Structure formats: structure tokens, C-alpha cells
Amino acid sequence: MPIIKAEELESWKGKEVGVSEWFEASQDRINKFADCTEDHQFIHVDEEKAKNTPFGGTIAHGLLTLSLMPAMSYGVTLGLEGAVMGINYGYDKVRFLNPVRAGSKVRARHVLVDAVEKQPGRWLMTYDVTVEIDGVETPALIARSLAMIVVG
């Protein structure tokens, strides 16, 4: 992750700042997510029944893919010199465009949209994020990600 001075943020706007490593949407991960969220819809957890759907097998929950976004942003988004922490501030305009089949891998591309100092030492960073599926043209999801970076 590039560590930059706040004065440099303007020059990064509109640019891709990083691409994450690949994360596997294994059936085990999907099952554990189903247990955590109590969302055991067959399309996610019943491999035999899911074979008879248009997907031909189980798919990850859209919210599982979204929940991987913090891990997919760690180390690939901009860091500010003197930062003491980053806080997930939320997501805007989340769209699930393509299901992630069990066993597929996903990664995220981050483009800095904006960076605003909301209070002294508190920077709201806005990224457009595209979550890609390995070997598939249409992304799994797109979202606008918001992070508060605290400089101390």
C-alpha cells in the first residue's frame, strides 16, 4: 500500500490505487457464512439441489462477497502518513451483478473517487470498488466504499 502525504491525495483521485489478492469462495466458507447469518437457502448450502438451478451448483451469498471487501482492501488502498487507524465507514451503491459459484476466486480493484478531511486528522476516503471473479467477464459486484482514516 502506498503511504502518502495528505497533500498528495488530489493527484490520486480517479486512479486505480490497488488490486487485492484472490480470495476463494469455497463451499466451506459459504457454509460457515450461512451458519453465521442463519441464511441456509439451498442455493448456497445444498450442493445436490443447487445442481438443478441455472447456476449448476451452489453460489456464495452476495453478502459474503461484500463482507470480504475489508480483507480485499487491506494493503492495497492508500495509507496516509501518520495514520493510526482506518474505520469502515460504509458502502454506497452496492450492486450484485453476477453470482460467485462455489470454488471461484474473487479479488477487488480500487479506484480513489474522493478524499475529504471531515475534521482535523479525519479523512473520509471514497473508493469505487469492482469485485472480479477469476475467469469471468462480468464482475460479482460493484460498490462505493467509504473509509475514515484517522491521522494522529
Side-chain angles (χ1 to χ4, degrees):
M1 143 178 41
I3 306 293
I4 64 169
K5 295 178 182 183
E7 302 83 49
E8 298 174 65
L9 284 168
E10 193 66 34
S11 69
W12 283 89
K13 289 181 183 178
K15 295 181 181 173
E16 182 174 280
V17 299
V19 180
S20 75
E21 64 183 75
W22 291 103
F23 288 79
E24 184 179 355
S26 67
Q27 188 62 54
D28 182 58
R29 178 174 270 173
I30 293 167
N31 292 344
K32 287 176 180 173
F33 188 84
D35 289 342
C36 287
T37 60
E38 298 187 25
D39 180 356
H40 293 95
Q41 185 181 154
F42 82 93
I43 194 64
H44 306 301
V45 297
D46 188 333
E47 294 177 70
E48 283 305 310
K49 195 171 178 182
K51 286 180 184 177
N52 298 319
T53 69
F55 307 119
T58 55
I59 59 172
H61 305 71
L63 291 175
L64 167 56
T65 307
L66 182 65
S67 73
L68 288 171
M69 285 182 56
M72 291 189 286
S73 67
Y74 185 74
V76 298
T77 54
L78 295 174
L80 291 180
E81 199 171 80
V84 295
M85 69 176 156
I87 302 165
N88 181 350
Y89 203 71
Y91 299 96
D92 290 337
K93 301 179 184 178
V94 176
R95 298 293 181 267
F96 300 104
L97 303 177
N98 202 6
V100 177
R101 294 173 190 232
S104 296
K105 293 180 182 176
V106 295
R107 71 177 178 190
R109 292 186 175 278
H110 301 79
V111 174
L112 182 67
V113 174
D114 203 7
V116 178
E117 191 172 25
K118 298 300 254 182
Q119 297 175 4
R122 301 231 181 337
W123 288 87
L124 181 61
M125 311 288 281
T126 304
Y127 293 93
D128 278 341
V129 183
T130 302
V131 177
E132 303 171 335
I133 306 167
D134 191 18
V136 178
E137 187 174 332
T138 303
L141 72 85
I142 56 172
R144 182 151 284 181
S145 173
L146 309 172
M148 184 67 70
I149 306 299
V150 179
V151 177

